[in-house]
C-alpha cells in the first residue's frame, strides 16, 4: 500500500461537477489500496476575485488582511471535496494549513515553510480517512498564530512539502494538461508531452508549459528526493515524471529555508572572446555562432549586452585548448559585420583574454530569494576580486574573473555560503549525456522588465552595492549582463550593466537606483517594460556545438532582433521585444522539431 499526496489546481476544482469528478478519482485511488492526502487550490478564479474585491476597498491592501482574505478560497474547496467524498462513502476530513501543522516564517503573502507537524495528519490516515488539505497557506512560527500564505504556486509547494514531511511514496500534481509539455499548449497546440524530465531542467524551465509546476515545489522535491508526477485531471494518461537525485539526508526542520547555494565551482580552463561594436540587427548572433558551430567550437558562457547607439557587444567563453580556433572564427567574421558604407567607423573589433577563470554558485534554493547574487558580488568585492562578466540562470550565477583571483574567490565564496565540501553538481555528468535531446523545452516569460544602468564604475563592489539595494527591497533579479566595452570617463573606467526584474517591480527599481546614482557615481537608469524573455533548456546541449546557433538562426529568419543573451550549461535565454515574444517561442519550438502529432486543447 502506497502513501500518495495528490494536488488539484483551481481549474480542476472549478465547479461542483469538477469537485465531484475529483472525488471519484480520489475514491478510486483509495479503493486500489492506497492512503491519500489531497491538497487543493481555491475554486477556479476565486483568488482573482478576492484580490479584485480587496483592490476595490484599498489601493494598497494590508498584507496581513490579504492573507486572511485569500486563505478563505481554499477553505471552501476542502469542505466541498470532503463532503463529496463522504457522499461516496469514503471517510474524509478537511484541514486548513494551520490544522495540518504547516508552520511558516512570519512573512505575509510570501511565507516559506519551516516545518510540518505531521502527527495529526498521520492519525487521520491511520483511521482510514482521506485528509483534504488547504494548499497555499500555513501558520506563523512566532506564537502569534497568524495565518500566512505562501505566494504564487503555493499549493504545489504545500503538496510537495507535505509529501516530503510524511515520507510519501510519491506526489501527484493534477492540472489542465496531460503532463509537462515542450512549451505552452495555449501558444503551440502541437506541444509534445514528455515522459520524464530532470528536476534540473524543470527548475530552469520555471515557466514551461501551462505553468504546471512551481519552481519552489521542484526545489523541495530535489532537496528531499521526492518523486513527482504531473498528470491531467481529465484523463488517465501516465503524465510526466520529474526525476530527482538521491536524497541527501536533509533535516525536515527549516524545510524551505535550506541553504540557497549547494556548491561553489571554479573553472580555470577558460578564455574569453569578445566582439565589440557589432551591428544591432537581426541575424548577427546567428552568423557568428553558426560559423563557430561549423568549426566545431564548443562555447560555454554567451552574453550579449545592451546596445549603445546601433551596436552591441557579444562575448563568449571557450576552453583554453580551442581558443585559437575560436579567435580565428571571430576574426574572420568581424569584417563582414562592419557597415559597408562606413567600413572604418565603429567597426567590429575582436578582443581576446586568456588569463581568466569562471567562478559559479549553484543551488535550487536561490530561486525567488533576492540577495543571493548580491551576496556573491559582495563576497568577491570584499576579497578584492573584480568581475569581468556575469551570467545568470534560475539556479546558477557565474562570474568571469582574473585567473590569479580564482583561489581567493572560491575560498571566500565557500566560507560565505558555508560550503564545507563539494556537494553534487547542479548538472552532474550523468545528466549531460548525448542520449538526451539537446533541447527539451522552450519557455516564454512576458512578465519581465529590463533596467540598463549607464557608466557604472568598473571596480570591485559596484555590482554588490547595486544588487544589494534591490535585495533590501525584496526585488528579485533574473538575467544580469555586464557590457564588455569599458570607457574611461573622468579618469574612471566604466561599464554598462543591464538586468531584468519582474515587470511589477520595474518602476520601483528604477526609482531606487536613480536615488543613489549621484552617490555611487553611475549615469542614467533606463527602464524598458516592453520585453519578452524566450529560453531553451536541455541537459543534452552540454558539449554539443550548434544549439545556440540554431536558436539564433530561427529568430534571425523571422527578423526578430536579439537584445540580450545569457546562458548557463543547460539554458540559453534571449531578450526580444514584447510584441515578438510569442512568435519567437513558436519559431524556436519549430526549429528544434519539438512538435508532436497531437493537438492539446487546454480546458477553459
Amino acid at each position: 500500500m502506497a502513501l500518495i499526496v495528490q494536488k488539484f489546481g483551481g481549474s480542476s476544482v472549478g465547479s461542483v461537477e469538477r469537485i465531484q469528478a475529483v472525488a471519484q478519482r480520489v475514491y478510486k485511488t483509495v479503493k486500489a489500496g492506497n492512503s491519500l492526502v489531497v491538497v487543493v487550490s481555491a475554486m477556479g478564479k476565486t483568488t482573482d476575485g478576492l484580490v479584485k474585491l480587496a483592490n476595490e476597498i484599498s489601493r494598497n491592501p494590508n498584507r496581513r488582511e490579504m492573507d486572511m482574505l485569500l486563505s478563505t478560497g481554499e477553505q471552501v474547496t476542502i469542505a466541498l471535496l470532503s463532503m463529496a467524498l463522504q457522499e461516496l462513502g469514503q471517510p474524509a476530513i478537511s484541514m486548513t494549513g494551520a490544522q495540518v501543522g504547516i508552520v511558516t516564517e512570519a512573512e505575509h503573502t510570501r511565507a516559506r515553510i519551516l516545518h510540518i507537524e505531521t502527527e495529526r495528519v498521520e492519525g487521520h490516515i491511520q483511521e482510514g480517512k482521506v485528509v483534504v488539505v488547504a494548499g497555499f497557506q500555513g501558520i506563523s512560527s512566532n506564537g502569534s498564530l497568524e495565518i500566512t500564505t505562501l505566494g504564487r504556486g503555493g499549493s504545489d509547494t504545500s503538496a510537495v512539502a507535505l509529501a516530503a514531511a510524511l515520507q510519501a511514496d510519491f506526489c501527484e500534481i493534477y492540472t489542465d494538461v496531460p503532463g509537462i509539455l515542450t512549451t505552452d499548449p495555449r501558444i503551440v497546440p502541437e506541444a509534445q508531452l514528455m515522459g520524464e524530465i530532470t528536476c534540473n531542467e524543470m527548475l530552469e524551465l520555471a515557466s514551461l508549459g501551462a505553468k504546471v509546476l512551481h519552481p519552489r515545489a521542484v526545489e523541495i522535491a530535489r532537496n528531499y528526493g521526492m518523486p513527482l508526477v504531473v498528470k491531467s485531471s481529465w484523463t488517465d494518461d501516465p503524465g510526466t515524471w520529474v526525476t530527482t537525485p538521491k536524497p541527501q539526508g536533509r533535516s525536515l526542520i527549516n524545510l524551505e529555508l535550506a541553504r540557497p547555494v549547494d556548491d561553489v565551482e571554479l573553472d580555470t580552463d577558460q578564455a574569453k572572446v569578445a566582439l565589440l561594436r557589432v551591428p544591432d540587427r537581426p541575424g548577427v548572433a546567428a552568423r557568428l555562432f553558426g560559423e563557430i558551430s561549423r568549426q566545431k567550437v564548443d562555447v560555454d558562457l554567451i552574453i550579449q549586452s545592451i546596445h549603445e547607439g546601433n551596436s552591441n557587444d557579444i562575448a563568449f567563453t571557450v576552453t583554453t585548448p580551442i581558443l585559437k580556433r575560436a579567435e580565428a572564427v571571430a576574426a574572420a567574421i568581424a569584417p563582414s559585420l562592419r557597415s559597408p558604407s562606413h567600413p572604418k567607423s565603429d567597426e567590429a573589433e575582436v578582443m581576446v583574454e586568456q588569463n581568466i577563470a569562471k567562478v559559479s554558485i549553484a543551488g535550487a534554493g536561490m530561486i525567488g530569494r533576492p540577495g543571493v547574487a548580491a551576496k556573491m558580488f559582495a563576497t568577491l568585492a570584499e576579497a578584492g576580486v573584480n568581475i569581468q562578466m556575469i551570467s545568470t540562470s534560475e539556479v546558477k550565477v557565474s562570474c568571469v574573473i582574473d585567473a590569479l583571483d580564482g583561489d581567493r574567490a572560491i575560498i571566500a565564496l565557500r566560507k560565505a555560503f558555508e560550503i564545507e565540501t563539494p556537494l553534487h553538481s547542479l548538472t552532474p555528468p550523468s545528466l549531460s549525456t548525448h542520449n538526451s535531446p539537446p533541447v527539451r523545452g522552450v519557455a516564454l516569460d512576458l512578465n519581465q522588465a529590463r533596467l540598463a544602468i549607464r557608466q557604472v564604475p568598473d571596480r570591485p563592489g559596484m555590482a554588490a552595492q547595486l544588487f544589494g539595494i534591490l535585495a533590501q527591497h525584496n526585488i528579485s533579479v533574473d538575467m544580469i549582463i555586464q557590457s564588455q566595452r569599458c570607457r574611461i570617463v573622468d579618469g574612471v573606467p566604466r561599464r554598462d550593466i543591464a538586468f531584468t526584474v519582474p515587470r511589477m517591480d520595474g518602476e520601483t527599481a528604477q526609482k531606487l537606483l536613480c536615488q543613489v546614482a549621484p552617490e555611487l557615481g553611475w549615469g542614467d537608469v533606463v527602464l524598458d517594460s516592453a520585453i519578452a524573455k524566450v529560453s531553451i533548456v536541455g541537459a543534452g546541449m552540454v558539449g554539443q556545438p550548434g544549439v545556440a546557433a540554431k536558436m539564433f538562426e530561427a529568430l534571425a529568419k523571422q527578423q526578430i532582433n536579439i537584445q540580450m543573451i545569457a546562458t548557463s550549461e543547460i539554458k540559453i535565454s534571449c531578450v526580444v521585444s514584447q510584441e515578438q515574444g510569442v512568435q519567437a517561442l513558436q519559431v524556436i519550438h519549430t526549429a528544434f522539431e519539438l512538435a508532436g502529432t497531437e493537438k492539446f486543447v487546454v480546458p477553459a
Side-chain angles (χ1 to χ4, degrees):
M1 182 174 75
L3 171 58
I4 304 169
V5 175
Q6 294 182 338
K7 179 260 175 177
F8 293 90
S11 57
S12 304
V13 290
S15 65
V16 168
E17 293 75 19
R18 289 185 177 182
I19 289 172
Q20 289 170 329
V22 166
Q24 289 283 356
R25 185 184 284 273
V26 170
Y27 182 66
K28 184 177 170 185
T29 307
V30 174
K31 287 304 167 192
N34 302 296
S35 297
L36 225 58
V37 174
V38 180
V39 177
V40 291
S41 300
M43 293 174 66
K45 301 288 184 184
T46 299
T47 303
D48 292 344
L50 293 172
V51 171
K52 188 174 180 226
L53 283 173
N55 290 331
E56 287 174 8
I57 295 285
S58 169
R59 286 184 61 191
N60 187 24
N62 178 278
R63 282 168 54 187
R64 179 195 182 274
E65 302 309 328
M66 283 301 290
D67 275 359
M68 187 66 74
L69 175 67
L70 297 183
S71 66
T72 63
E74 280 72 18
Q75 291 174 43
V76 172
T77 318
I78 59 173
L80 293 174
L81 180 55
S82 293
M83 292 175 195
L85 285 164
Q86 290 160 10
E87 284 296 302
L88 294 172
Q90 171 59 48
I93 183 167
S94 61
M95 300 179 77
T96 65
Q99 289 172 321
V100 90
I102 297 176
V103 180
T104 75
E105 58 187 357
E107 277 280 348
H108 285 295
T109 73
R110 55 168 182 256
R112 285 181 178 264
I113 297 171
L114 298 177
H115 62 275
I116 301 178
E117 296 166 359
T118 58
E119 294 84 357
R120 190 173 178 187
V121 178
E122 288 168 339
H124 289 306
I125 292 170
Q126 291 296 322
E127 293 167 3
K129 293 175 185 172
V130 171
V131 183
V132 184
V133 179
F136 175 65
Q137 60 180 250
I139 191 165
S140 65
S141 62
N142 57 4
S144 60
L145 304 181
E146 289 289 317
I147 293 173
T148 54
T149 63
L150 308 182
R152 191 170 67 87
S155 293
D156 288 352
T157 305
S158 302
V160 183
L162 265 168
L166 291 166
Q167 297 183 329
D169 291 274
F170 54 90
C171 181
E172 297 178 333
I173 307 288
Y174 285 92
T175 183
D176 293 343
V177 289
I180 297 167
L181 304 172
T182 50
T183 196
D184 189 338
R186 294 175 176 90
I187 301 174
V188 182
E190 303 83 6
Q192 193 171 176
L193 179 67
M194 301 183 212
E196 65 174 38
I197 185 172
T198 67
C199 57
N200 295 325
E201 291 170 320
M202 193 66 229
L203 281 167
E204 292 283 22
L205 281 170
S207 51
L208 176 68
K211 296 182 173 61
V212 294
L213 202 51
H214 195 271
R216 275 171 67 184
V218 184
E219 176 190 350
I220 297 168
R222 180 182 180 276
N223 286 343
Y224 293 95
M226 176 53 57
L228 269 184
V229 60
V230 179
K231 295 183 173 184
S232 168
S233 298
W234 325 112
T235 71
D236 292 321
D237 293 341
T240 306
W241 284 92
V242 181
T243 59
T244 57
K246 289 181 181 177
Q248 299 292 312
R250 286 176 183 263
S251 167
L252 287 162
I253 303 299
N254 288 337
L255 191 145
E256 258 205 296
L257 292 186
R259 207 167 41 205
V261 173
D262 282 343
D263 202 4
V264 180
E265 303 158 5
L266 178 68
D267 184 354
T268 55
D269 190 24
Q270 293 261 316
K272 178 176 72 175
V273 179
L275 267 81
L276 309 183
R277 295 183 293 277
V278 299
D280 181 36
R281 61 171 185 256
V284 171
R287 288 180 65 188
L288 171 61
F289 290 100
E291 189 56 37
I292 284 172
S293 168
R294 281 187 286 277
Q295 298 299 325
K296 298 289 188 288
V297 174
D298 194 17
V299 171
D300 183 4
L301 296 183
I302 302 172
I303 68 162
Q304 177 180 307
S305 52
I306 49 171
H307 61 81
E308 179 183 298
N310 292 314
S311 65
N312 285 326
D313 298 340
I314 299 179
F316 57 93
T317 62
V318 294
T319 57
T320 309
I322 59 172
L323 172 62
K324 290 294 183 190
R325 214 159 67 219
E327 184 182 358
V329 172
I333 202 169
S336 66
L337 298 179
R338 294 165 187 158
S339 170
S341 53
H342 303 284
K344 292 297 178 187
S345 65
D346 280 340
E347 60 184 32
E349 174 191 349
V350 179
M351 183 177 74
V352 174
E353 194 161 346
Q354 289 196 58
N355 298 315
I356 63 164
K358 180 182 74 172
V359 64
S360 307
I361 56 171
M366 65 177 72
I367 293 174
R369 292 191 198 177
V372 178
K375 184 175 179 178
M376 179 188 192
F377 303 151
T379 302
L380 293 175
E382 286 166 14
V385 176
N386 198 32
I387 299 168
Q388 299 179 23
M389 281 172 78
I390 300 169
S391 188
T392 60
S393 76
E394 262 77 359
V395 291
K396 195 164 194 174
V397 181
S398 297
C399 296
V400 170
I401 59 175
D402 191 296
L404 294 174
D405 294 332
D407 289 343
R408 194 161 74 251
I410 199 164
I411 290 168
L413 290 170
R414 283 192 176 279
K415 183 179 178 184
F417 289 105
E418 299 175 8
I419 307 294
E420 294 176 7
T421 55
L423 301 177
H424 57 281
S425 169
L426 204 64
T427 313
S430 59
L431 294 180
S432 309
T433 67
H434 292 292
N435 296 328
S436 303
V439 174
R440 301 301 306 278
V442 188
L444 176 66
D445 189 344
L446 291 168
N447 296 308
Q448 295 210 349
R450 180 183 62 217
L451 286 132
I453 309 180
R454 305 293 186 188
Q455 298 185 17
V456 178
D458 184 31
R459 59 173 180 258
M462 289 309 298
Q465 288 180 286
L466 193 168
F467 294 107
I469 291 164
L470 298 178
Q472 286 166 19
H473 291 83
N474 210 45
I475 296 174
S476 294
V477 176
D478 184 11
M479 294 172 73
I480 303 173
I481 305 289
Q482 183 171 268
S483 72
Q484 292 305 293
R485 245 175 288 186
C486 198
R487 285 167 301 161
I488 307 297
V489 180
D490 299 329
V492 179
R494 298 172 182 269
R495 297 181 193 269
D496 297 339
I497 293 182
F499 54 92
T500 60
V501 296
R503 186 171 296 156
M504 63 182 182
D505 292 330
E507 291 183 5
T508 304
Q510 183 185 34
K511 185 177 176 183
L512 288 168
L513 297 172
C514 283
Q515 286 172 351
V516 298
E519 177 191 345
L520 295 176
W522 56 59
D524 294 338
V525 181
V526 182
L527 174 66
D528 184 357
S529 296
I531 65 162
K533 183 182 82 168
V534 62
S535 307
I536 58 173
V537 167
M541 70 172 69
V542 177
Q544 289 202 40
V547 177
K550 196 171 190 176
M551 180 185 190
F552 303 154
E553 187 179 340
L555 296 174
K557 282 179 179 174
Q558 299 300 316
Q559 292 296 299
I560 297 172
N561 196 34
I562 300 171
Q563 300 176 18
M564 291 169 71
I565 300 169
T567 65
S568 73
E569 278 86 347
I570 63 172
K571 183 173 183 179
I572 301 170
S573 296
C574 295
V575 167
V576 299
S577 69
Q578 184 181 5
E579 63 184 17
Q580 293 182 305
V582 169
Q583 185 190 13
L585 178 141
Q586 290 169 335
V587 300
I588 291 168
H589 193 267
T590 300
F592 285 100
E593 301 176 356
L594 296 175
T597 53
E598 185 180 348
K599 287 194 176 184
F600 290 106
V601 178
V602 180

